[in-house]
Amino acid sequence: MPAFLDGLFISEILADNVGGSGFDTDGDGGSNKSDEYIEIQNATGSTIDLSNYQLWSQTNGLLFDFASVSPPDPTPTVAPGETATVVGEYSGTPPSGFFDSGDNNGQNFIPDGETVGSQNRADVIYLVNATTGDYIFLSYGSNPLTVSPPPGFPGTNEVDGEVFVNGAPNSTAFVRDANGEFVTGSPDPGNAGPVCFCAGTRITTEQGDIAVEHLMPGARILTKDHGLVPLRALRAAPLGRQVLRLHPDARPVHIPLGVVGNNRGLNVSPAHRVLIRAALAELYFGTPEVLVSARQLARCGLANVSETQAPAHYHHLLFDDHQIIRANGCWSESLFLGDTAHWAITAASGWRVQSGWVLSDCTHRCTARTVLKGYEAGQLLRVLGLEHASYSVAA
């Protein structure tokens, strides 16, 4: 299980990113050491002010001090379930949730974890509350280092730590599996977060379209791939005015009528993904149907982030497998339990579960469709936004 500091944990690391298969974190068209990153996630039910926190490397010292984020930038915060990703060097202005370490083009950000000849490139990453002195660590590499904080480190109280014995093959990240343990996997920075429909969304069921807040465990829901399947669990996840004021990136996204085939406006959480079918998707990504987040629709001008600070009444819908379901007439995803989401979300209170079904036993192996990364979605949607007729929802 992860090591927690005040409800924060290290959720993903990309430590080796060179060569032709490298990952382009900032979407600038290049992939190199500057695209390496460390991602932390908030597993609590409240927004956390990050101003007191720092990231350190045993090898390279201070990596990033969140207190360095200065006006006119807002106070760095991370909403419940969301992430903050520190990148070696971010080309251009980082979007919400991303931070530029400014580390000399990222060339010395973090060692890659492999042992090459007699050279051990392992490292220890520390997340520290500089005010309290509490800290957690992750020691990683094919030959992990003994924990020994570097000079100047402000931590005085080791709260918890992890050791991950594994090298970091090029463009492969350390990610969390469904049990919260680190494994190697595909980089996916900044994409953690709740997948929720807002109250009032009409979900197609065996009995017709029903508002999401009126669904019950066991209801048979129409899916694109498997017909009618039972809804195993559901949960209301409201966010109050204070949370939305402190972290506007958690505000609902409104997808106007018809943008993705929806027969009425659709309101969802920013991380929620809808299905798009497009010839260009097959051309770019080898599949005609892809999942794109509401946040990306908003960034490309196809949707709008709520400007109000009224409470957001979010609702999770959970099935045995990740499903594509019909919401307000369009195809959209159900909650996906992958990486850290399994234990971070299912540990929350308020779940209503179908009788005889065990929430903690549910594990999703893969998403129902290819999920586009931020820069991939931006590339596709910029074209589709200019040529609206060139794409459609999947029938």
Side-chain angles (χ1 to χ4, degrees):
M1 291 293 290
F4 289 92
L5 175 65
D6 307 328
L8 297 170
F9 64 96
I10 299 170
S11 51
E12 186 173 327
I13 291 181
L14 176 62
D16 185 13
N17 196 59
V18 295
S21 61
F23 183 77
D24 183 10
T25 302
D26 56 10
D28 66 352
S31 55
N32 48 50
K33 296 289 287 183
S34 68
D35 289 296
E36 294 174 353
Y37 59 81
I38 301 171
E39 176 189 272
I40 61 175
Q41 187 170 352
N42 176 3
T44 75
S46 303
T47 294
I48 295 177
D49 183 342
L50 295 174
S51 299
N52 296 328
Y53 295 89
Q54 299 174 356
L55 281 168
W56 284 70
S57 159
Q58 187 159 307
T59 301
N60 295 331
L62 178 63
L63 297 175
F64 190 73
D65 184 351
F66 285 96
S68 67
V69 178
S70 59
D73 295 327
T75 299
T77 61
V78 58
E82 293 289 348
T83 62
T85 305
V86 177
V87 185
E89 184 179 61
Y90 203 100
S91 177
T93 302
S96 177
F98 285 78
F99 300 87
D100 183 354
S101 79
D103 181 40
N104 188 28
N105 297 321
Q107 296 303 310
N108 300 307
F109 189 49
I110 45 178
D112 60 26
E114 295 181 328
T115 299
V116 179
S118 61
Q119 184 179 14
N120 184 20
R121 296 176 179 172
D123 200 4
V124 183
I125 301 300
Y126 300 88
L127 175 64
V128 58
N129 184 323
T131 299
T132 66
D134 293 341
Y135 68 91
I136 58 174
F137 69 84
L138 168 66
S139 180
Y140 71 88
S142 56
N143 185 19
L145 302 178
T146 301
V147 175
S148 179
F153 182 65
T156 56
N157 179 39
E158 180 186 305
V159 175
D160 201 356
E162 298 174 89
V163 177
F164 181 54
V165 183
N166 201 311
N170 180 41
S171 72
T172 300
F174 305 158
V175 299
R176 299 282 185 179
D177 65 13
N179 296 314
E181 304 295 340
F182 270 122
V183 295
T184 55
S186 299
D188 192 22
N191 283 337
V195 171
C196 326
F197 295 100
C198 287
T201 303
R202 309 285 292 182
I203 305 297
T204 302
T205 76
E206 189 175 30
Q207 280 75 42
D209 291 350
I210 298 177
V212 64
E213 64 270 27
H214 296 150
L215 293 173
M216 299 294 291
R220 288 165 59 81
I221 308 296
L222 179 66
T223 69
K224 181 171 174 55
D225 301 319
H226 304 104
L228 294 168
V229 301
L231 175 63
R232 296 301 194 184
L234 62 163
R235 174 179 177 263
L239 292 184
R241 289 183 176 87
Q242 184 177 8
V243 171
L244 297 178
R245 177 177 61 82
L246 292 174
H247 198 87
D249 194 47
R251 294 174 183 171
V253 173
H254 173 74
I255 304 173
L257 169 71
V259 169
V260 288
N262 44 316
N263 54 24
R264 62 177 70 188
L266 179 65
N267 297 306
V268 294
S269 62
H272 197 106
R273 296 172 290 225
V274 294
L275 189 71
I276 288 180
R277 180 184 181 89
L280 282 176
E282 187 160 25
L283 177 65
Y284 291 161
F285 310 112
T287 176
E289 296 181 354
V290 292
L291 287 168
V292 172
S293 73
R295 179 183 290 116
Q296 289 301 327
L297 290 173
R299 287 175 178 168
C300 293
L302 297 173
N304 306 292
V305 177
S306 172
E307 295 296 331
T308 71
Q309 293 185 14
H313 298 281
Y314 288 137
H315 293 265
H316 300 307
L317 300 182
L318 182 62
F319 300 84
D320 287 322
D321 298 296
H322 189 229
Q323 298 287 354
I324 305 297
I325 63 177
R326 192 177 287 279
N328 285 4
C330 69
W331 293 111
S332 180
E333 70 170 330
S334 65
L335 179 64
F336 174 65
L337 294 185
D339 300 331
T340 59
H342 181 274
W343 51 269
I345 292 179
T346 59
S349 61
W351 281 98
R352 292 184 290 154
V353 180
Q354 185 178 13
S355 177
W357 191 79
V358 180
L359 178 63
S360 59
D361 288 346
C362 182
T363 300
H364 295 158
R365 295 181 179 274
C366 59
T367 55
R369 294 293 187 281
T370 297
V371 175
L372 296 192
K373 299 178 177 67
Y375 71 92
E376 294 173 332
Q379 178 185 25
L380 179 64
L381 291 174
R382 277 191 292 272
V383 177
L384 299 182
L386 294 174
E387 301 179 20
H388 188 82
S390 68
Y391 79 99
S392 66
V393 296

